[in-house]
């Protein structure tokens, strides 16, 4: 019976090994000190044999190996057998000189088949300097102060590592707060004081919960380095920006040897926790301003981007909605990139876009895509073109502005199925052709109603030819003519897109100022400055019937001057717009300045409205 069970178990093991995907991987420490031994392991999740690896002659010394070890685990769960078999081949190595060395892939045989592992890279750091041995204290009277004295000032260090110290405005900088320690283990960290990173837009980079300390060379010594936190920084202004010092308290383990000094008393080692403050010195970043000559289609992007667009359909009927989508992809300062504004035909009704971010914050920057989706309704039939959207950004690799474009679209809009469609080209029909006949079921006799005798007419007296008769004939005709005249006038006004836009300029500006007032009350700086900027610049754009994308500060001055606006009013409008643009990318947090700017924006729109009307 035992023999049968053994054969069955071996059969299950072989079956499980055959069914499982074979993986063969190599691993080693990412960094080691010169002159220190380290282990290189190749592991296969099966019964492996005949390992081959050309491990010698690649800058590392082979001390001995390979040695093999294996493990097997079998689980019986609800009648199912699960078996895992692992074979590990180990080499003991040593690096004598500094550098980065790559060991070739190894091969192993499993059931007659050959499998290949990955290559293994090891960085050899300079050898540790010999330090004078610390004198062991005797006696049982050691206290925390004595233990603290054994933590040298260079045993625990804190540093803020920057991926670059010179960058352009809006260019991503990776900042990593690292704890370096040697001679002692670190139990925990507390009282971390992290800088506010004033002058930067900060985005946290999530570190793995399973991260471990790694060996790094710092100040002519080898330390264990543990990353505490990591951020992605985007400079918001040019010049030298200082990142203040940052502090943390580390709890180090100090080993103390105690002995009473008696003949039978053996010395023993005790571990004591000591709190060690560590400070990361301040760092300075030199931020270069973006070069002049920005394209009109520059949207604030810094990095590397591409743009695509698509429509849900190019064959439509008037009154049918379709979706126009813009997708901006790449790596850079996605949060600071403004939305490009596509140019739709004047007869199209366009709703506010829906914006969706799908980005990841990684050590190389913020990467992903931004999707801007418009819902559009064509109101008239015909053939229309939606031109390509140009998107300009600053490329940090070449140090120049680059422009990418989406593809244009040609739409064919047919007449609607019936002229009664909302917004269609025909006139609505209210003749009641779909009325249903009213039936009185189960009501043969209705209630009798009393009638005032004064409302009765003598028999033989007719209504035809009386004044009331002619009033009932003429009044509906006059009302119909008045309604037709008003309706035709309204159609002409609605067809005049320029006039509609001009007449609604003040109303749209008032709505945006209300949004700014709400943001001012909530002290939401980003929303406030954006609303004020849109209110003033959008008012001038609507009032003068000029595309918003073509506006610059110089063109604003020229257009207002051409319409006879006072130079003082022009300067005030340009100053409000410039203040908003600067504050949106470098908020000051000054509440009084926001109140003043709001009052100036209201006054500016009021003055421009009166001046342009003249």
């Amino acid at each position: 019976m035992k023999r049968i069970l053994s054969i069955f178990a071996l059969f299950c093991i072989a079956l499980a090994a055959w069914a499982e995907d074979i993986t063969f991987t190599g691993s080693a420490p990412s960094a080691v000190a010169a002159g220190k031994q380290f282990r290189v392991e190749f592991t296969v999740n099966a019964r492996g044999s005949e390992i081959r690896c050309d491990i010698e002659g690649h800058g590392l010394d082979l001390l001995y190996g390979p040695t093999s070890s294996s493990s097997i685990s079998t689980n019986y769960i609800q009648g199912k057998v699960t078996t895992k078999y692992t074979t590990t081949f180990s080499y003991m190595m040593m690096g004598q000189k500094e550098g980065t060395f790559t060991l070739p892939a190894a091969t192993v045989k499993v059931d007659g088949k050959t499998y290949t592992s990955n290559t293994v890279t090891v960085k050899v750091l300079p050898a540790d300097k010999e330090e004078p041995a610390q004198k062991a204290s005797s006696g049982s009277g050691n206290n925390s102060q004595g233990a603290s004295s054994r933590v040298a000032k260079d045993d625990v260090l804190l540093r803020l590592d920057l991926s670059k110290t010179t960058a352009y405005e809006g260019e991503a900088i990776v900042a990593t707060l690292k704890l370096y320690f040697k001679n002692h283990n670190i139990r925990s960290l507390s009282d971390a004081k992290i800088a506010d990173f004033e002058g930067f837009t900060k985005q946290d980079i999530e570190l793995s919960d399973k991260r471990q300390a790694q060996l790094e060379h710092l100040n002519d010594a080898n330390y264990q380095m543990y990353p505490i936190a990591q951020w992605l920084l985007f400079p918001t202004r040019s010049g030298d920006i200082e990142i203040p010092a940052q502090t943390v308290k580390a709890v180090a383990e100090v080993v103390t040897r105690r002995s009473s000094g008696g003949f039978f008393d053996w010395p023993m080692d005790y571990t004591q926790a000591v709190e060690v403050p560590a400070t990361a010195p301040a760092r300075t970043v030199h931020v270069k301003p973006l070069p002049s000559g920005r394209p009109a289609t520059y949207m604030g992007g810094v990095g590397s981007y591409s743009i695509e667009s698509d429509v849900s359909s190019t064959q439509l009927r008037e009154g049918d909605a379709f979706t126009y989508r813009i997708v901006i992809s790449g790596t850079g300062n996605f949060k600071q990139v403004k939305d490009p504004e596509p140019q739709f035909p004047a007869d199209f009704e366009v709703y506010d876009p829906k914006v969706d971010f799908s980005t990841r914050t990684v050590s190389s920057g913020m990467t992903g895509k931004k999707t801007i989706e418009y819902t559009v309704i064509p109101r008239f039939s015909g053939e229309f073109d939606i031109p390509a959207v140009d998107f300009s950004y600053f490329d940090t690799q070449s140090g120049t502005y680059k422009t990418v474009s989406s593809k244009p679209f040609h739409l064919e809009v047919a007449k609607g199925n019936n002229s009664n469609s909302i917004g269609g080209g025909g006139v609505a029909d209210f003749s009641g052709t779909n009325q249903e006949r009213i039936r009185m079921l189960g009501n043969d006799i209705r209630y009798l109603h009393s009638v005032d005798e004064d409302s009765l007419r003598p028999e033989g007296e007719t209504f035809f030819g009386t004044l009331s008769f002619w009033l009932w004939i003429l009044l509906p005709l006059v009302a119909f003519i008045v309604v037709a005249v008003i309706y035709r006038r309204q159609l002409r006004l609605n067809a005049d897109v320029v006039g509609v836009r001009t007449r609604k300029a003040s109303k749209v500006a008032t709505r945006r100022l209300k949004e700014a007032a709400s943001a001012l009350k909530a002290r939401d700086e980003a929303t406030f400055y954006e609303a004020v900027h849109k209110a003033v610049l959008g008012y001038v754009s609507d009032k003068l019937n000029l595309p918003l994308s073509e506006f610059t500060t110089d063109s604003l001055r020229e257009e207002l001057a051409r319409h006879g606006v006072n130079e003082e009013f022009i300067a005030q409008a340009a100053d409000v717009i410039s203040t908003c643009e600067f504050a949106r990318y470098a908020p000051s947090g000054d509440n009084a300045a926001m109140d003043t700017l709001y009052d100036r924006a209201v006054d500016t729109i009021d003055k421009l409205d009166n001046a342009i009307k003249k």
Side-chain angles (χ1 to χ4, degrees):
M1 186 66 180
K2 292 182 179 180
R3 180 178 296 178
I4 294 175
L5 291 175
S6 300
I7 294 174
F8 177 73
L10 290 175
F11 173 76
C12 292
I13 293 172
L15 183 63
W18 175 81
E20 186 178 9
D21 292 336
I22 303 299
T23 60
F24 185 39
T25 57
S27 62
S30 58
V32 296
K36 298 290 186 180
Q37 299 181 8
F38 64 94
R39 189 185 302 273
V40 178
E41 294 183 340
F42 294 93
T43 304
V44 59
N45 60 338
R47 189 188 297 273
S49 62
E50 299 183 26
I51 185 170
R52 296 286 185 271
C53 182
D54 185 16
I55 203 165
E56 296 186 82
H58 297 279
L60 300 173
D61 296 337
L62 174 63
L63 302 182
Y64 62 87
T67 60
S68 63
S69 61
S70 58
S71 63
I72 184 172
S73 62
T74 303
N75 296 323
Y76 296 90
I77 302 176
Q78 296 181 352
K80 294 183 179 180
V81 180
T82 303
T83 304
K84 292 184 179 180
Y85 196 98
T86 303
T87 306
T88 302
F89 302 92
S90 302
Y91 295 87
M92 190 61 67
M93 311 287 294
M94 178 185 292
Q96 298 292 352
K97 57 182 180 179
E98 303 174 31
T100 301
F101 306 95
T102 301
L103 301 177
T107 61
V108 70
K109 286 188 176 182
V110 178
D111 295 334
K113 294 184 178 180
T114 302
Y115 295 88
T116 304
S117 73
N118 56 292
T119 60
V120 177
T121 301
V122 179
K123 183 178 182 180
V124 179
L125 304 176
D128 290 322
K129 290 185 177 181
E130 294 184 1
E131 298 181 359
Q134 296 177 349
K135 296 181 180 180
S137 59
S138 60
S140 59
N142 294 331
N143 51 28
S144 61
Q145 183 177 359
S148 177
S149 65
R150 291 178 176 80
V151 181
K153 64 178 183 178
D154 293 334
D155 283 354
V156 180
L157 301 175
L158 187 67
R159 293 292 183 268
L160 180 66
D161 181 65
L162 301 177
S163 61
K164 59 188 73 173
T165 56
T166 300
Y168 286 100
E169 290 182 60
E171 184 178 1
I173 301 173
V174 180
T176 308
L177 189 62
K178 299 179 178 181
L179 182 72
Y180 292 87
F181 56 94
K182 64 178 182 178
N183 301 328
H184 307 283
N185 292 327
I186 301 298
R187 284 188 181 179
S188 61
L189 302 173
S190 62
D191 296 341
K193 295 182 179 179
I194 307 301
D196 294 333
F197 296 103
E198 184 178 355
F200 298 90
T201 298
K202 182 182 70 172
Q203 190 75 28
D204 293 341
I205 298 178
E206 186 175 352
L207 297 176
S208 172
D209 294 335
K210 298 180 180 179
R211 62 187 184 275
Q212 297 180 349
Q214 299 178 354
L215 196 65
E216 279 195 15
H217 195 73
L218 178 69
N219 298 341
D220 296 330
N222 292 319
Y223 286 84
Q224 292 293 329
M225 185 280 296
Y226 181 80
I228 299 176
Q230 196 171 52
W231 306 276
L232 204 59
L233 306 180
F234 298 97
T236 58
R237 57 182 172 86
S238 59
D240 291 335
I241 305 179
E242 183 181 90
I243 302 176
Q246 313 190 50
T247 61
V248 71
K249 288 183 179 179
V251 178
E253 293 182 354
V254 178
V255 178
T256 305
R257 172 162 294 189
R258 296 181 178 179
S259 175
S260 62
F263 180 78
F264 296 102
D265 190 7
W266 295 95
M268 298 184 64
D269 291 339
Y270 295 87
T271 302
Q272 186 174 0
V274 177
E275 198 174 69
V276 182
T279 302
R283 300 295 303 272
T284 300
V285 179
H286 176 67
V287 182
K288 298 180 291 185
L290 297 181
S292 58
R294 300 183 184 182
T297 54
Y298 176 69
M299 297 297 166
V302 178
S304 178
Y305 295 95
S306 62
I307 186 171
E308 297 177 353
S309 62
D310 65 81
V311 294
S312 57
S313 177
T314 57
Q315 304 289 329
L316 305 163
R317 292 186 178 273
E318 56 186 19
D320 291 344
F322 70 94
T323 301
Y324 179 82
R325 184 181 296 104
I326 298 175
V327 180
I328 301 173
S329 306
T331 302
N333 57 338
F334 264 103
K335 298 294 185 181
Q336 287 74 43
V337 174
K338 295 183 289 185
D339 298 342
E341 297 185 358
Q343 299 300 314
F344 295 101
D347 295 331
F348 283 22
E349 182 175 351
V350 183
Y351 292 88
D352 291 337
K354 175 186 175 183
V355 181
D356 179 57
F357 282 96
S358 178
T359 57
R360 294 183 299 113
T361 304
V362 295
S363 57
S364 59
M366 183 175 291
T367 183
K369 64 181 180 180
K370 180 180 183 181
T371 304
I372 308 156
E373 190 173 285
Y374 293 86
T375 299
V376 188
I377 301 177
R379 291 307 186 188
F380 299 95
S381 60
E383 295 189 2
F384 302 92
D385 290 316
I386 301 178
V389 177
D390 292 334
F391 178 83
S392 299
Y393 65 94
F394 181 74
D395 183 24
T396 55
Q397 296 295 327
S398 61
T400 59
Y401 293 99
K402 290 186 177 181
T403 301
V404 292
S405 302
S406 65
K407 62 180 180 180
F409 295 97
H410 180 75
L411 305 181
E412 296 179 1
V413 182
K415 287 186 176 296
N417 292 326
N418 59 74
S419 60
N420 297 334
S421 59
I422 298 176
V427 180
D429 179 15
F430 299 101
S431 61
T433 56
N434 294 326
Q435 291 182 353
E436 295 182 356
R437 180 177 298 175
I438 301 176
R439 299 181 178 181
M440 308 300 296
L441 300 179
N443 293 292
D444 295 337
I445 302 176
R446 304 298 296 166
Y447 292 106
L448 299 178
H449 297 276
S450 60
V451 180
D452 188 5
E453 62 179 4
D454 295 332
S455 64
L456 302 177
R457 291 192 305 272
E459 187 177 358
E461 185 177 351
T462 62
F463 178 71
F464 179 78
T466 63
L467 178 62
S468 299
F469 170 79
W470 291 111
L471 289 176
W472 279 106
I473 293 296
L474 295 176
L475 283 179
L477 180 61
V478 173
F480 176 81
I481 294 173
V482 172
V483 171
V485 171
I486 295 175
Y487 184 74
R488 290 177 63 85
R489 180 177 179 274
Q490 190 63 35
L491 284 179
R492 288 197 301 270
L493 291 176
N494 290 339
D496 182 13
V497 180
V498 175
V500 172
R501 186 179 179 188
T502 302
R503 289 192 300 273
K504 291 185 178 181
S506 299
K507 185 181 295 183
V508 173
T510 302
R511 187 180 74 246
R512 288 170 174 166
L513 285 175
K514 287 182 179 179
E515 296 175 1
S518 301
L520 177 63
K521 185 176 181 181
R523 297 303 174 189
D524 184 355
E525 290 189 55
T527 304
F528 170 78
Y529 286 115
E530 183 178 2
V532 173
H533 184 269
K534 285 184 177 179
V536 179
L537 195 59
Y539 171 81
V540 179
S541 173
D542 294 340
K543 198 71 175 178
L544 303 183
N545 190 35
L546 292 173
L548 191 61
S549 61
E550 296 180 7
F551 260 102
T552 62
T553 304
D554 294 334
S555 63
L556 175 74
R557 293 178 180 272
E558 293 175 2
E559 291 297 330
L560 290 178
R562 193 163 63 85
H563 283 76
V565 179
N566 191 314
E567 183 63 28
E568 179 184 352
F569 299 163
I570 296 175
Q572 183 174 340
D575 182 62
V576 170
I577 294 172
S578 299
T579 302
C580 291
E581 290 177 346
F582 179 81
R584 288 168 67 189
Y585 301 104
S588 61
D590 189 351
N591 296 333
M594 293 170 62
D595 294 334
T596 304
L597 182 63
Y598 178 82
D599 294 335
R600 290 179 61 200
V602 174
D603 182 62
T604 299
I605 293 177
D606 184 61
K607 290 179 178 179
L608 291 178
D609 192 48
N610 295 330
I612 295 176
K613 284 180 180 179
K614 296 179 182 179

